[in-house]
Amino acid sequence: MAAYRWKSFNDDGDRPEKPRRYGVTEMKGPNYSLFSRGLLEDVFESMGQFVDGLKLCDGSHTVMPKNYIKEVTDMAHKHNVYVSSGDWADQMLRRGPSSLKEYIEECKQLGFDSIELDVASLGLPEETLLRYLRLIKSNGLRVKPQFSVKFNKSDIAFASDRAFGAYVIPAPQTSEMVEDVDLLIRRAERCLEAGADMIMINADDLCRQAGFLRSDIVAKIVGRLGLEKTMFEASNPKISEWFVKRYGPKVNLIVDHSQVMDLECLRGRNLGQNHSSVLGRSYFLL
């Protein structure tokens, strides 16, 4: 383990050392921008102890040479980091089950450890989804179904100052429909029973802005599925900060590769004066 004078995984309230079952940080690689081996190696060498997984987003690996991808996965495994192929399996499923089988075999050959299934994008019957999930698991790979919650933006109160008694123009209705969160949770529970390793929730759908966060939906999901089995994808640093403040350092998050150190500092903010002396109190917005 690398030595950090302000960080220890043995402190109460923080996470254990890798491999971790909770407090997982999955790092998103750039979609289609340049991501050199040197940059990746620098990230792993400097922050590898804080990175649990690497996600190649939006099928970016499909436009990379296979030997390059194998080098990337080997490098990640060297630092005890699992590699996810992202949700590109959705594209394969649209071509038929046989294409998915070929994709699973290719993922194994290239060194991927995990495959995502975007439930909302696929729109599959529940039994079909579970069958595909078991197929991936039977081939020795992890599987993470991803769920998205849609809601009507006009249902969110707009926080602004106004004079007492002043008329407020109603927010226009949107075409987004409120999804049955209980139904989503029941489907997620069935996925876990079928062998899913983690349930992913797209937090951007829940909180486009941190001030408009649907904390009630988050609380219901975490309360039913458990913090250990739930992972939230947060593109906005303010969103990941909210999750750590609300649920502590043990929450599982997917963040951009540029936000890894910021997130780790937020996870470890309970380390006291030794921690704040490194980055300063203003960094943590105390």
Side-chain angles (χ1 to χ4, degrees), residues 139-151:
N139 281 273
L141 296 176
R142 303 176 189 173
V143 59
K144 297 188 295 183
Q146 178 174 344
F147 291 84
S148 299
V149 181
K150 300 296 182 182
F151 58 91

Side-chain angles (χ1 to χ4, degrees), residues 163-179:
F164 177 75
Y167 174 73
V168 177
I169 300 175
Q173 292 289 316
T174 69
S175 59
E176 292 181 289
M177 300 300 293
V178 180
E179 184 171 352

Side-chain angles (χ1 to χ4, degrees), residues 125-186:
E126 187 171 301
E127 292 303 323
T128 304
L129 171 66
L130 297 178
R131 186 168 67 251
Y132 288 148
L133 188 152
R134 295 188 185 101
L135 175 63
I136 296 173
K137 288 292 293 183
S138 65
N139 281 273
L141 296 176
R142 303 176 189 173
V143 59
K144 297 188 295 183
Q146 178 174 344
F147 291 84
S148 299
V149 181
K150 300 296 182 182
F151 58 91
N152 198 314
K153 295 177 182 177
S154 61
D155 292 338
I156 307 173
F158 184 73
S160 61
D161 297 329
R162 64 184 180 90
F164 177 75
Y167 174 73
V168 177
I169 300 175
Q173 292 289 316
T174 69
S175 59
E176 292 181 289
M177 300 300 293
V178 180
E179 184 171 352
D180 187 342
V181 179
D182 290 318
L183 177 59
L184 181 153
I185 294 173
R186 285 196 295 271

Side-chain angles (χ1 to χ4, degrees), residues 181-216:
V181 179
D182 290 318
L183 177 59
L184 181 153
I185 294 173
R186 285 196 295 271
R187 296 187 71 188
E189 287 173 337
R190 290 207 62 189
C191 287
L192 290 173
E193 292 169 359
D197 297 274
M198 190 84 71
I199 299 298
M200 291 178 54
I201 303 293
N202 190 340
D204 293 336
D205 287 336
L206 294 170
C207 37
R208 294 295 178 181
Q209 300 180 33
F212 292 159
L213 181 63
R214 287 300 302 267
S215 57
D216 56 329

Side-chain angles (χ1 to χ4, degrees), residues 89-107:
D90 305 349
Q91 304 296 324
M92 299 295 105
L93 277 171
R94 291 186 176 90
R95 303 178 186 176
S98 60
S99 296
L100 178 62
K101 293 179 181 178
E102 295 173 4
Y103 179 70
I104 293 173
E105 188 60 36
E106 183 175 294
C107 284

